[in-house]
């Protein structure tokens, strides 16, 4: 779950399992595997469970992306995920999500 910019083409490598966060045009958090994704995975965040609420925040003025789990951020290892050179979209962004059949 995360954000993508106008150059994101998530379906191109869907047969490989690619989705939001797997390329340079999207930024994501995977709470099952506990990774943040932007081209490559980085271990980050908390594991989610059924019934949890994931917050996806983007601030286009300060160019940051943050994620919360059940309303909690940095106090549980969530919060700011991307900033600076790690978040440089080519335009505005939109909410994006990928699902895996497994």
């Amino acid at each position: 779950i995360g954000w993508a910019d106008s150059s994101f083409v998530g379906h191109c490598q869907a047969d490989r399992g690619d989705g939001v966060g797997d390329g340079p045009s999207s930024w994501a958090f995977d709470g099952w595997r506990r990774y943040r994704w932007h081209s490559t995975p980085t271990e980050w965040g908390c594991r989610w469970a059924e019934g949890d609420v994931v917050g996806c925040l983007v601030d286009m003025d300060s160019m940051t992306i943050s994620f919360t789990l059940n309303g909690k951020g940095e106090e549980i290892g969530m919060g700011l995920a991307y900033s600076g050179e790690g978040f440089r979209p080519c335009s505005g962004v939109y909410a994006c999500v990928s699902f895996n059949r497994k």
Side-chain angles (χ1 to χ4, degrees), residues 35-48:
Y35 285 115
R36 63 183 186 164
W37 294 79
H38 177 60
S39 297
T40 59
T42 303
E43 194 171 316
W44 184 87
C46 293
R47 179 164 284 200
W48 60 35

Side-chain angles (χ1 to χ4, degrees), residues 22-55:
D22 284 314
S25 302
S26 59
W27 301 261
F29 167 60
D30 178 341
W32 178 248
R33 294 181 281 186
R34 294 185 48 228
Y35 285 115
R36 63 183 186 164
W37 294 79
H38 177 60
S39 297
T40 59
T42 303
E43 194 171 316
W44 184 87
C46 293
R47 179 164 284 200
W48 60 35
E50 186 175 331
D52 283 346
V53 176
V54 179

